[in-house]
Amino acid sequence: MRSISFPKTPSTIKAIIYLNISVYVLCMLASWFKIDLFTLLGATPYLIIEKKYLWQPFTYLFVHANILHLFLNMLMLWFLGPELYKLWGRGFFIRYYLICGIGAGMATLLLPIIDQRTYLIPTVGSSGAIFGLLLAYGVNFKNRLLYLFGLIPIKAGKLVLILAGIELISMLSQNSGPISHIAHLGGLITGFIYIKTKDLELFLIRKKYIKLN
């Protein structure tokens, strides 16, 4: 009998998953000693702007609100990451992931313009970086069929457009609840800009090479 084989998960992606799990456990342990790492490491507009907690647009990436939040983000990283890693290589994958995440974190600084209550609320989670990966997956594998809710087949490129629309409408409706839609959009937009910048850079390099030859 032939066994079913799954794509091998690169060690870099495993390391990111293990880091997120470790930070989650650390935050839980710290809370037992009345240490609020959630607020210290999450991206809070007030603390970033007023108190100069400039590390937060980076550290918030590795903090999650609960076990379901952590599981869903790591599941998407495990699902989307390996093919993009294989396409890009280790260096570009890490840079892209972090840049999308930081871009999403910086986008949360704009949220108080829409809803002033969010000025004191921390944003946590790697969803912004995950949405950046989703954008890249849709760009590079736009005709690949994905199954929404495990049932509805849809091409990856169309899924990205649908999700972007949903996030935009949800953000403007100011009915986000605990979900930071602006961070999701920030990850998507940052990913798009970064990919297009790299494409332009590659085009200019090729054009220069052709002229030299």
Side-chain angles (χ1 to χ4, degrees):
M1 180 182 294
R2 181 180 296 177
S3 60
I4 300 174
S5 59
F6 293 93
K8 184 178 180 181
T9 305
S11 58
T12 299
I13 293 176
K14 289 181 181 178
I16 296 173
I17 293 173
Y18 295 152
L19 177 59
N20 277 272
I21 294 172
S22 298
V23 172
Y24 179 78
V25 172
L26 181 62
C27 288
M28 294 300 101
L29 293 175
S31 67
W32 295 350
F33 297 95
K34 308 301 181 182
I35 300 173
D36 189 4
L37 290 182
F38 189 85
T39 299
L40 181 65
L41 301 178
T44 306
Y46 167 75
L47 294 177
I48 296 171
I49 296 171
E50 302 288 342
K51 300 297 184 180
K52 310 304 180 188
Y53 284 21
L54 300 182
W55 61 84
Q56 289 192 344
F58 170 75
T59 56
Y60 90 101
L61 263 172
F62 306 100
V63 183
H64 288 83
N66 52 58
I67 194 67
L68 180 61
H69 187 207
L70 173 67
F71 173 76
L72 292 176
N73 277 338
M74 295 304 98
L75 180 64
M76 290 301 295
L77 174 59
W78 174 81
F79 178 75
L80 298 171
E83 284 193 270
L84 292 171
Y85 184 96
K86 183 179 180 181
L87 179 68
W88 291 336
R90 180 176 179 270
F92 188 90
F93 181 88
I94 293 174
R95 287 195 302 274
Y96 181 84
Y97 183 85
L98 293 178
I99 287 171
C100 287
I102 293 171
M106 296 301 292
T108 63
L109 300 181
L110 301 175
L111 192 55
I113 298 174
I114 301 172
D115 186 351
Q116 292 182 349
R117 294 171 299 177
T118 61
Y119 195 55
L120 299 174
I121 299 175
T123 295
V124 297
S126 56
S127 299
I130 299 301
F131 267 76
L133 292 180
L134 182 62
L135 179 279
Y137 196 93
V139 169
N140 289 284
F141 309 105
K142 61 182 179 180
N143 292 319
R144 182 77 55 82
L145 277 181
L146 300 177
Y147 287 85
L148 194 61
F149 307 118
L151 298 171
I152 306 170
I154 185 170
K155 290 183 178 180
K158 290 183 179 179
L159 179 60
V160 170
L161 292 176
I162 292 171
L163 290 177
I166 292 173
E167 293 297 327
L168 180 60
I169 293 170
S170 298
M171 182 187 71
L172 295 177
S173 70
Q174 299 187 31
N175 292 321
S176 60
I179 300 173
S180 181
H181 298 289
I182 198 169
H184 296 173
L185 283 172
L188 281 169
I189 294 169
T190 301
F192 180 79
I193 293 172
Y194 189 62
I195 287 174
K196 291 303 178 182
T197 300
K198 285 302 188 181
D199 286 345
L200 177 60
E201 181 182 327
L202 184 60
F203 171 77
L204 293 175
I205 291 173
R206 286 175 176 171
K207 188 175 181 180
K208 183 178 179 181
Y209 177 80
I210 291 171
K211 285 183 177 180
L212 290 174
N213 287 273

